[in-house]
Amino acid sequence: GENVEQHPSTLSVQEGDSAVIKCTYSDSASNYFPWYKQELGKRPQLIIDIRSNVGEKKDQRIAVTLNKTAKHFSLHITETQPEDSAVYFCAARTGGAGSYQLTFGKGTKLSVIP
Amino acid sequence: DADVTQTPRNRITKTGKRIMLECSQTKGHDRMYWYRQDPGLGLRLIYYSFDVKDINKGEISDGYSVSRQAQAKFSLSLESAIPNQTALYFCATSDWGGGYNEQFFGPGTRLTVL
């Protein structure tokens, strides 16, 4: 089955700096890669996603890049703010039509220091 | 607002007891999922269902069973709870959308098995 590796497991940055979280996947058939943010005590929520036919996608201060050849994708957060502090999960969609499921990475705890 | 709800939110039980976690949704989604979250291990899929008559095992289904009573309800059962099933459990739903759709998570159920 699919295996998603996520690094680093913890990340501390100064407010205003950039943060980068990286993920690799094993199944070359995976073609959809969402990122979820989980604030402390809250439920995970989708923040951005990318399909395999796109190399980069941006939404204000966050962006995701995908390298299909190397089978890795990354989340970039610019101008970090304290409210960006959370656990971030990457995921890869696996399975054939009718059985799609997400395999998640183990998460990155991001702390933004004011 | 349409939502995903879980009951109970917290549960403490003893080894060997049978326990049921319930999930309801008013989003009108066909697809429902049960995940388990452990510190440092991310979100792992237990079972998923794409409609009332469809049940599929996920990555870690041993020791668990599910029931899809209606489009809006998906229950997770632990037939004989054991301490290593202590975890935070999330239900999630999604629409079809060609498999690219966002998963919406419930608030979670924190289960402790003594």
Side-chain angles (χ1 to χ4, degrees):
Chain A
E2 174 68 281
N3 182 46
V4 177
E5 299 282 344
Q6 183 172 347
H7 299 279
S9 56
T10 60
L11 179 60
S12 291
V13 299
Q14 291 292 135
E15 182 177 356
D17 287 350
S18 295
V20 181
I21 302 170
K22 299 180 179 181
C23 290
T24 61
Y25 61 98
S26 61
D27 187 349
S28 58
S30 292
N31 60 3
Y32 171 63
F33 307 93
W35 287 86
Y36 284 78
K37 175 183 179 182
Q38 185 180 27
E39 297 177 359
L40 186 64
K42 301 291 182 64
R43 65 189 81 183
Q45 291 186 300
L46 179 72
I47 54 171
I48 195 168
D49 56 15
I50 191 167
R51 301 187 187 189
S52 59
N53 60 349
V54 175
E56 183 175 4
K57 183 177 179 180
K58 291 183 179 180
D59 183 3
Q60 299 182 349
R61 296 187 297 107
I62 61 173
V64 57
T65 58
L66 172 65
N67 183 325
K68 286 192 299 182
T69 303
K71 290 190 283 188
H72 69 70
F73 56 112
S74 300
L75 178 71
H76 304 254
I77 306 174
T78 59
E79 301 173 12
T80 54
Q81 301 169 3
E83 53 264 38
D84 295 327
S85 295
V87 178
Y88 293 80
F89 294 99
C90 63
R93 189 191 76 171
T94 58
S99 64
Y100 290 131
Q101 55 185 283
L102 293 179
T103 299
F104 285 86
K106 294 181 178 181
T108 297
K109 183 178 181 180
L110 173 64
S111 299
V112 179
I113 304 165
Chain B
D1 284 343
D3 201 7
V4 182
T5 58
Q6 293 182 233
T7 56
R9 294 293 312 279
N10 289 281
R11 180 72 183 266
I12 299 174
T13 191
K14 295 182 178 180
T15 297
K17 294 291 187 180
R18 183 180 188 275
I19 185 167
M20 179 181 289
L21 310 183
E22 299 186 342
C23 176
S24 294
Q25 52 111 349
T26 56
K27 288 189 169 293
H29 291 164
D30 288 328
R31 303 183 162 216
M32 299 187 74
Y33 312 81
W34 275 105
Y35 290 93
R36 167 177 174 162
Q37 184 176 22
D38 298 275
L41 294 180
L43 294 156
R44 294 183 290 167
L45 184 64
I46 307 172
Y47 272 95
Y48 59 105
S49 169
F50 287 169
D51 65 42
V52 175
K53 296 180 179 180
D54 176 73
I55 299 290
N56 303 282
K57 292 183 177 180
E59 177 188 353
I60 55 165
S61 59
D62 287 349
Y64 302 94
S65 62
V66 292
S67 174
R68 184 80 184 267
Q69 300 97 321
Q71 187 209 31
K73 296 185 181 296
F74 192 35
S75 300
L76 176 72
S77 293
L78 287 67
E79 296 301 325
S80 181
I82 56 177
N84 77 358
Q85 291 177 313
T86 293
L88 182 58
Y89 290 85
F90 284 102
C91 173
T93 73
S94 72
D95 209 340
W96 163 229
Y100 297 106
N101 272 20
E102 176 179 0
Q103 290 191 13
F104 293 87
F105 286 80
T109 294
R110 186 166 296 280
L111 176 65
T112 302
V113 183
L114 301 177

